């Protein structure tokens, strides 16, 4: 069992921060005059001050209640709104895993992850949970951020999804084997998979558990496994691991003091994940063309299992309908109904969006266009820099209350990942992660975009400086001289415009 401490919250008490936390700085910072929306109470409290020492909150109250140490830096936020640092329960800091990207940046994966972590921080996300990516590179960046060597959103990562093969496989992009050399294809897949790939499906539950135990020892923060397959001709409906195996995976994670989550994409995959004891289930509203049964919704709420939801706005749904097949549209309609039913069920809903960054040339590809990732910027859920704002607006449309929207983006995520002793709300003793807004988020989801300042570990973030080294987010280079003279011919299999028989 994971041990948790529970302390009563006294809004004006002072605590002595734990000196062993290497993330904390030594600066004292006083934030004055804002409306504090702490994620605990249902409403904000006007005219409050927050005192930060050594990177943690040591007092919250009226200005005349808080003794302020000498040499404390004071910032006036009168008329502003302070909320906990935003979190994201499912990002992929290295999601642009197309062949040319992996070739171009081989040996430089950490640089792409740093860029993404800085974009996330600039957008108000002080903590992100990376649920699929190259373990070693993610952990290296995670540790550098934790140690203060580089700036970025706090990263916690799972590495590979237990049971899936790598980027160049049938689980993700099967076009590359046979195009790239087998040596390069195997090296890329090994970087993601290590000992946790599809071969585990042949093993006994005990055999799978042993491989999961070995993987945990590398230093991941949580375990994610496949309850359903990823894509494929069955659109994710196939079950990846048996119920016995899923229980063993969860048990191994919990025994190591880690949380466990599943990749689910069918109603049975969702139910099996809950019954296996998962702490959260990713994209649980995505269940193919079938809506989640009422008894499964009730079980999800009863078990207090985190329900990660991927919603689209009404406008986004309308645009997507014009570009997908009738069968795919039935799946999106079911996911929309599931999102609404999850809200009504009282499930603990978590904000997430598969957030990542793609190079600008990739966004022009047919692989992206016509999908949910190809929606216009103001409706595209999967963008790392803006998708969380789309999520909040979408769930507002579906009936989620303002305070529950805030909790879905903060407290609920911290609780599901078992880091709520330190993160997720503005309380004395917790790490000083917060976002300062110009507009009241409880008056409308659109107000989350009005970011005035971001504070992480008690430090004011220089948002204008991020990302420090644009790579995937850099603009396309000016055309080469040769490109200006290039006359594109038809490729094999293409037809001339207006010529149905060519």
């Amino acid at each position: 069992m994971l041990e948790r401490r529970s302390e009563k919250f006294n809004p004006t008490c002072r605590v002595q921060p734990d000196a062993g936390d290497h993330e904390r700085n030594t600066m004292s910072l006083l934030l004055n005059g804002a409306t504090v929306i702490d994620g605990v109470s249902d409403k904000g409290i006007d005219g409050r001050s927050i005192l930060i020492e050594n990177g943690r909150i040591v007092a919250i109250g009226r200005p005349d209640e808080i003794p302020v140490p000498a040499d404390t830096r004071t910032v006036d936020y009168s008329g502003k709104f302070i909320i906990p640092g935003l979190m994201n329960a499912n990002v992929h800091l290295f999601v642009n895993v197309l062949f040319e990207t992996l070739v171009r940046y081989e040996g430089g994966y950490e640089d792409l992850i740093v860029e993404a972590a800085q974009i996330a921080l600039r957008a108000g996300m002080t903590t992100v949970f990376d649920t699929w990516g190259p373990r070693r590179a993610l952990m290296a960046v995670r540790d550098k951020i934790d140690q203060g060597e580089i700036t970025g959103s706090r990263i916690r990562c799972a590495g590979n999804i237990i049971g899936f093969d790598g980027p160049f496989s049938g689980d993700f992009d099967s076009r590359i084997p046979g195009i790239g050399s087998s040596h390069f294809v195997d090296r890329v897949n090994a970087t993601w998979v290590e000992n946790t790939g599809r071969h585990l499906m042949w093993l006994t539950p005990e055999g799978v558990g042993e491989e999961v135990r070995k993987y945990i020892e590398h230093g991941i923060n949580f375990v994610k496994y496949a309850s359903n397959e990823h894509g494929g001709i069955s659109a994710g409906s196939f079950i990846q691991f048996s119920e016995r195996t899923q229980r063993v995976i969860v048990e191994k994670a919990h025994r190591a003091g880690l949380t466990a989550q599943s990749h689910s994409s069918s109603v049975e995959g969702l139910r099996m994940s809950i019954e296996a004891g998962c702490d959260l289930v990713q994209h649980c509203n995505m269940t193919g063309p079938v809506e989640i049964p009422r008894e499964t919704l009730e079980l999800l709420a009863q078990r207090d299992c985190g329900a990660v939801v991927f919603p689209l706005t009404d406008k986004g749904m309308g645009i997507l309908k014009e570009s997908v097949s009738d069968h795919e549209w039935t799946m999106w309609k079911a996911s929309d109904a599931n999102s609404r039913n999850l809200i009504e069920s009282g499930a603990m809903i978590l904000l997430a969006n598969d957030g990542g960054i793609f190079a600008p040339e990739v966004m022009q590809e047919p692989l992206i266009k016509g999908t949910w990732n190809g929606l216009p910027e103001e409706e595209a859920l999967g963008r790392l820099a803006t998708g969380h704002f789309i999520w909040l607006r979408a769930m507002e449309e579906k009936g989620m209350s303002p305070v529950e929207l805030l909790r879905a983006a903060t407290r609920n995520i911290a609780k599901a990942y078992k880091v709520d002793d330190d993160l997720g709300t503005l309380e004395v003793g917790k790490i000083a992660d917060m976002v300062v807004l110009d507009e009241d988020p409880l008056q409308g989801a659109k107000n989350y975009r009005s970011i005035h300042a971001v504070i992480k570990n008690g430090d004011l973030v220089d948002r204008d400086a991020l990302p420090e080294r644009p790579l995937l987010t850099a603009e396309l280079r000016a055309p080469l001289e040769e490109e200006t003279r290039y006359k594109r011919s038809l490729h094999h299999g293409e037809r001339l415009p207006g010529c149905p028989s060519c």
Side-chain angles (χ1 to χ4, degrees):
M1 294 293 291
L2 297 173
E3 293 187 4
R4 310 270 297 281
R5 77 171 188 264
S6 178
E7 298 176 352
K8 292 183 178 180
F9 171 51
N10 182 338
T12 60
C13 76
R14 293 170 60 83
V15 299
Q16 181 62 40
D18 177 6
D21 190 335
H22 62 265
E23 288 190 30
R24 299 182 188 126
N25 58 49
T26 58
M27 180 184 73
S28 293
L29 180 65
L30 182 67
L31 313 179
N32 273 339
T35 296
V36 174
I37 307 173
D38 59 16
V40 180
S41 304
D42 290 341
K43 298 179 179 180
I45 305 176
D46 298 337
R48 286 303 185 262
S49 294
I50 302 176
L51 180 63
I52 300 165
E53 293 180 7
N54 300 320
R56 289 200 179 241
I57 299 171
V58 295
I60 303 175
R62 295 194 306 269
D64 59 356
E65 295 176 321
I66 302 176
V68 180
D71 301 324
T72 296
R73 180 184 178 188
T74 301
V75 182
D76 183 16
Y77 283 137
S78 297
K80 308 298 183 185
F81 301 84
I82 299 181
I83 62 173
L86 299 175
M87 309 173 87
N88 193 318
N90 185 336
V91 303
H92 303 298
L93 297 173
F94 188 7
V95 73
N96 194 149
V97 291
L98 297 183
F99 182 69
E100 66 180 74
T101 304
L102 291 167
V103 171
R104 182 185 303 172
Y105 294 102
E106 186 178 19
Y109 295 171
E110 290 181 27
D111 295 332
L112 300 182
I113 294 168
V114 169
E115 177 186 21
Q118 292 182 344
I119 286 172
L121 183 59
R122 184 183 67 189
M125 291 178 284
T126 52
T127 302
V128 296
F129 295 87
D130 190 293
T131 68
W132 179 74
R135 177 193 60 79
R136 184 166 57 176
L138 283 164
M139 287 173 52
V141 177
R142 173 198 70 187
D143 294 346
K144 289 176 182 177
I145 291 174
D146 283 353
Q147 293 159 11
E149 297 177 20
I150 56 178
T151 299
S153 181
R154 182 180 296 100
I155 299 171
R156 297 296 177 259
C157 59
N160 192 42
I161 299 172
I162 307 298
F164 284 170
D165 274 337
F168 299 157
S169 73
D171 286 324
F172 294 96
D173 190 349
S174 60
R175 302 171 303 164
I176 306 307
I179 298 176
S181 70
S182 58
H183 176 72
F184 181 70
V185 167
D186 287 347
R187 187 164 68 240
V188 167
N189 284 340
T191 301
W192 264 255
V193 175
E194 301 182 77
N195 65 312
T196 65
R198 290 180 66 86
H199 71 283
L200 298 185
M201 295 170 65
W202 295 99
L203 302 185
T204 64
E206 294 75 21
V208 174
E210 178 60 17
E211 295 303 317
V212 170
R213 183 194 64 77
K214 293 176 182 177
Y215 195 61
I216 288 172
E217 289 180 349
H218 289 302
I220 58 175
N221 297 108
F222 56 94
V223 172
K224 181 180 181 181
Y225 71 89
S227 181
N228 288 97
E229 62 155 355
H230 190 259
I233 59 173
S234 66
S237 63
F238 288 168
I239 298 296
Q240 190 92 357
F241 288 115
S242 69
E243 290 194 38
R244 286 202 307 151
T245 300
Q246 292 193 37
R247 290 180 186 276
V248 168
I249 294 172
V250 173
E251 178 189 359
K252 290 295 181 182
H254 287 174
R255 186 173 297 177
L258 306 183
T259 59
Q261 61 181 258
S262 76
H263 164 101
S264 167
S265 52
S266 73
V267 292
E268 270 302 280
L270 172 59
R271 182 193 62 80
M272 291 169 68
S273 300
I274 301 168
E275 293 186 343
C278 280
D279 301 284
L280 59 147
V281 181
Q282 293 292 350
H283 36 72
C284 69
N285 63 313
M286 312 295 286
T287 54
V290 179
E291 294 182 20
I292 301 171
R294 176 57 55 184
E295 58 268 24
T296 303
L297 290 169
E298 293 173 354
L299 182 65
L300 188 69
Q302 290 168 3
R303 296 285 183 91
D304 212 19
C305 177
V308 176
V309 175
F310 285 6
L312 295 182
T313 63
D314 293 343
K315 183 177 179 180
M317 288 282 288
I319 296 171
L320 192 65
K321 182 179 181 181
E322 302 303 317
S323 59
V324 299
S325 66
D326 289 344
H327 177 66
E328 190 174 353
W329 176 242
T330 64
M331 299 171 75
W332 279 106
K333 284 198 302 181
S335 76
D336 187 74
N338 285 338
S339 298
R340 300 172 191 274
N341 292 337
L342 283 161
I343 294 171
E344 293 178 1
S345 75
M348 182 173 67
I349 295 176
L350 279 56
L351 179 151
N353 66 333
D354 255 5
I357 54 176
F358 290 95
E361 64 270 20
V362 173
M363 300 308 298
Q364 302 173 11
E365 288 298 302
L367 182 71
I368 300 296
K369 288 183 176 180
T371 70
W372 68 301
N373 278 317
L375 289 171
E377 184 76 26
E378 64 274 12
E379 306 298 337
L381 180 67
R383 310 291 170 82
L384 183 62
T386 55
H388 52 308
F389 302 132
I390 310 301
W391 190 100
L392 291 160
R393 185 157 51 87
M395 293 301 279
E396 179 183 61
E397 291 177 351
K398 299 178 201 318
M400 202 167 188
S401 71
V403 70
E404 289 304 323
L405 287 173
L406 175 66
R407 289 169 180 160
T410 55
R411 187 179 76 171
N412 291 358
I413 297 176
K415 181 180 178 182
Y417 277 101
K418 306 294 191 293
V419 295
D420 51 324
D421 281 348
D422 288 319
L423 301 168
T425 55
L426 300 180
E427 298 182 77
V428 168
K430 292 196 174 183
I431 293 173
D433 285 3
M434 53 196 77
V435 177
V436 184
L437 301 174
D438 289 325
E439 305 292 337
D440 185 356
L442 300 184
Q443 295 301 312
K446 67 181 187 301
N447 292 340
Y448 282 91
R449 286 184 176 268
S450 67
I451 296 178
H452 182 86
V454 175
I455 297 167
K456 176 174 175 267
N457 293 325
D459 279 326
L460 281 161
V461 175
D462 184 0
R463 297 175 62 233
D464 293 337
L466 302 179
E468 295 169 338
R469 186 186 172 200
L471 295 168
L472 292 182
T473 54
E475 294 183 3
L476 281 171
R477 293 178 296 177
L480 298 171
E481 179 184 349
E482 293 86 347
E483 288 181 277
T484 65
R485 298 194 298 270
Y486 175 56
K487 305 297 182 183
R488 184 177 183 274
S489 64
L490 290 174
H491 294 302
H492 179 70
E494 288 186 323
R495 292 181 176 178
L496 289 171
C499 180
S501 61
C502 290

